[in-house]
Amino acid sequence: MAPGLIETPQVVDISVLNVKPVVGPQSPLSYIPGRTVVEQYDETYEHEDLRPNFPDVKWTPLEEHDHHDKGLLGDPQFKSLLKSATDIRDYNPKIGTEIHGIDLANLTDAQKNDLARLIATRGVVFFRNQKNFDIDAQRKLGQYFGRLHSHATTATPRREGLEDVHVVFSGEDSPDLRALFKPSFLWHSDVTYEVQPPSYTSLKVLTGPPRGGGGDTLWSSQYAAYDQLSAPMQKYLEGLTAIHSAHLQAQGSRELGRTVRREPINTEHPLVRTNPVTGWKALFFNPGFVTKIVGIPKTESDFIISYLNEIVATSPELHARFQWNKGDVAFWDNRVCNHTATYGFAPHRRHAVRVCAQAEKPYLDPNSRSQEDDLHERHGIPKAGKDGAGIVNYND
């Protein structure tokens, strides 16, 4: 959930939208630009037990714990995982991979280790139509990767015993909240204010808009964001830390009359961190939770935050965009990706469940390398030019 996202009730009269029940695939002859058939739901909705709930309970602060990353056990060529795949493709050189033929509910331990390593390498990995991957299987796989995180403010499922599951739900009567935020602010990495923020995070869409109906999610690589910086800027940021705050998110929940289940905290993390699986450096910054840079004047801090916001949010080569279908799953490494949801899918229902495993305390190994340097040395991939004083003759 994006920080400070406030969900206020607003009734939408669907009858005025001239929508019709689903009766089968949309015929090309019935095509209307920008319009898709809206599915109708009744009281027999199959995922009723996973609809959102905001329990009035209190939790103790999270305790620090040892973490051992399963990705370190994975094969560098992902042989166990990919032997079952029927197709695999990258979205672009920096981030995003889609795999077909894999059943996430029935992976061996060796395949799980390979999966962790692949996610840490590619940032986000997509799987289509995971019918067997129900919430119990999703939690079981998440628990294999680490201790599951229970969110202090966002919705949990109505079914008891799933307090470590985060529910994303926008119904037919949900408001459009775009006007409440700057677009760059909605980019975030989940709960980075925790002392041990998550690593491997899965999101499965249970119900969503049909193809072309909106509701896409974008991810931004922080490996690539770090590589986009000049060498002097990289060195400068590597000496800095940032404050990640949970207070705005908690404030929004309280203003809605909801219980904040765990008291909000501020945590100081390095601005550049090392991923223990790849050994690559990544910018560890997101517009949603970072409030200030430590040890420098506010003017300088605000400028750096604005500068990094622009890199994260407006650099297309850092981004992977995923168009969801029912049953699709995205698995990303929260340590090296920011992400943002998109609006514009009303009046469709969008219902998803998220599970994430906590990882190590963020750290910077001064001997770690950048993704660009490593791939240049191993595969001869050219490095990006960073001299902004050159001659300009841009062609798209």
Side-chain angles (χ1 to χ4, degrees), residues 175 191 198 248:
V191 297
L248 180 60

Side-chain angles (χ1 to χ4, degrees), residues 57 95 165 169 173 180 198 216 223 269:
V57 296
I95 182 174
V165 175
F169 188 93
D173 59 351
L180 298 178
D216 299 356
Y223 289 142
H269 290 311

Side-chain angles (χ1 to χ4, degrees), residues 150-165:
S150 299
H151 204 291
T153 62
T154 57
T156 63
R158 290 180 178 178
R159 191 206 306 178
E160 292 185 2
L162 301 180
E163 289 75 21
D164 48 23
V165 175

Side-chain angles (χ1 to χ4, degrees), residues 80-122:
S80 293
L81 179 68
L82 298 185
K83 69 181 181 182
S84 300
T86 58
D87 186 37
I88 181 169
R89 69 179 182 93
D90 289 343
Y91 276 39
N92 65 60
K94 296 295 186 181
I95 182 174
T97 297
E98 184 170 319
I99 305 179
H100 292 224
I102 302 294
D103 183 359
L104 290 175
N106 292 288
L107 299 178
T108 65
D109 285 356
Q111 288 178 312
K112 294 173 187 176
N113 298 337
D114 283 2
L115 174 59
R117 191 178 187 99
L118 180 61
I119 298 167
T121 302
R122 293 297 301 159

Side-chain angles (χ1 to χ4, degrees), residues 39 41-53 130-131 133-135 138 156-159 162 167-169 204-208 326-328 349-353:
E39 188 170 356
Y41 301 95
D42 55 31
E43 296 179 357
T44 62
Y45 177 52
E46 61 178 321
H47 302 298
E48 194 68 26
D49 62 327
L50 299 179
R51 284 175 67 108
N53 177 47
Q130 294 292 308
K131 294 180 179 179
F133 197 57
D134 61 16
I135 191 58
Q138 190 175 356
T156 63
R158 290 180 178 178
R159 191 206 306 178
L162 301 180
V167 177
V168 177
F169 188 93
K204 179 178 181 180
V205 165
L206 307 173
T207 300
K326 289 183 183 180
D328 292 347
R349 176 180 293 185
R350 187 172 185 270
H351 187 190
V353 283

Side-chain angles (χ1 to χ4, degrees), residues 78-376:
F78 322 107
K79 293 177 181 177
S80 293
L81 179 68
L82 298 185
K83 69 181 181 182
S84 300
T86 58
D87 186 37
I88 181 169
R89 69 179 182 93
D90 289 343
Y91 276 39
N92 65 60
K94 296 295 186 181
I95 182 174
T97 297
E98 184 170 319
I99 305 179
H100 292 224
I102 302 294
D103 183 359
L104 290 175
N106 292 288
L107 299 178
T108 65
D109 285 356
Q111 288 178 312
K112 294 173 187 176
N113 298 337
D114 283 2
L115 174 59
R117 191 178 187 99
L118 180 61
I119 298 167
T121 302
R122 293 297 301 159
V124 58
V125 182
F126 306 111
F127 301 87
R128 298 286 186 181
N129 195 25
Q130 294 292 308
K131 294 180 179 179
N132 298 327
F133 197 57
D134 61 16
I135 191 58
D136 300 307
Q138 190 175 356
R139 290 182 69 244
K140 184 177 179 180
L141 183 53
Q143 288 167 337
Y144 181 82
F145 293 138
R147 182 179 297 184
L148 297 188
H149 178 264
S150 299
H151 204 291
T153 62
T154 57
T156 63
R158 290 180 178 178
R159 191 206 306 178
E160 292 185 2
L162 301 180
E163 289 75 21
D164 48 23
V165 175
H166 165 59
V167 177
V168 177
F169 188 93
S170 295
E172 300 82 335
D173 59 351
S174 296
D176 187 325
L177 303 175
R178 278 175 284 189
L180 298 178
F181 306 98
K182 293 192 299 182
S184 64
F185 179 76
L186 293 173
W187 282 96
H188 66 286
S189 181
D190 292 327
V191 297
T192 56
Y193 47 74
E194 303 290 17
V195 175
Q196 292 178 250
S199 55
Y200 308 113
T201 301
S202 64
L203 183 71
K204 179 178 181 180
V205 165
L206 307 173
T207 300
R211 187 176 61 183
D216 299 356
T217 304
L218 286 79
W219 282 263
S220 178
S221 169
Q222 300 208 77
Y223 289 142
Y226 172 83
D227 278 327
Q228 202 159 296
L229 305 171
S230 67
M233 181 59 75
Q234 289 173 342
K235 184 175 181 179
Y236 170 60
L237 296 184
E238 286 175 14
L240 297 176
T241 59
I243 298 298
H244 298 241
S245 178
H247 285 271
L248 180 60
Q249 199 169 64
Q251 176 187 342
S253 290
R254 287 181 172 134
E255 289 177 354
L256 290 170
R258 296 171 182 163
T259 299
V260 175
R261 301 185 286 273
R262 187 186 304 114
E263 287 303 307
I265 61 173
N266 291 332
T267 305
E268 188 174 334
H269 290 311
L271 256 178
V272 178
R273 71 182 293 179
T274 301
N275 186 290
V277 178
T278 62
W280 294 340
K281 294 177 181 177
L283 188 66
F284 192 55
F285 168 87
N286 68 84
F289 293 122
V290 171
T291 56
K292 56 186 175 181
I293 312 300
V294 178
I296 60 176
K298 185 177 187 327
T299 301
E300 189 173 336
S301 173
D302 289 349
F303 175 80
I304 293 172
I305 288 174
S306 176
Y307 168 55
L308 297 181
N309 279 351
E310 182 170 2
I311 288 177
V312 167
T314 68
S315 304
E317 62 272 21
L318 276 60
H319 296 168
R321 181 170 185 143
F322 188 59
Q323 187 175 74
W324 298 91
N325 292 310
K326 289 183 183 180
D328 292 347
V329 174
F331 238 121
W332 68 94
D333 190 336
N334 202 66
R335 298 169 293 193
V336 299
C337 284
N338 286 316
H339 63 278
T340 184
T342 60
Y343 289 100
F345 54 86
H348 298 288
R349 176 180 293 185
R350 187 172 185 270
H351 187 190
V353 283
R354 188 190 74 197
V355 172
C356 55
Q358 289 181 261
E360 74 282 349
K361 293 176 65 173
Y363 69 95
L364 174 62
D365 178 353
N367 296 317
S368 55
R369 310 181 66 191
S370 77
Q371 180 189 51
E372 186 173 76
D373 284 344
D374 189 32
L375 296 182
H376 172 73

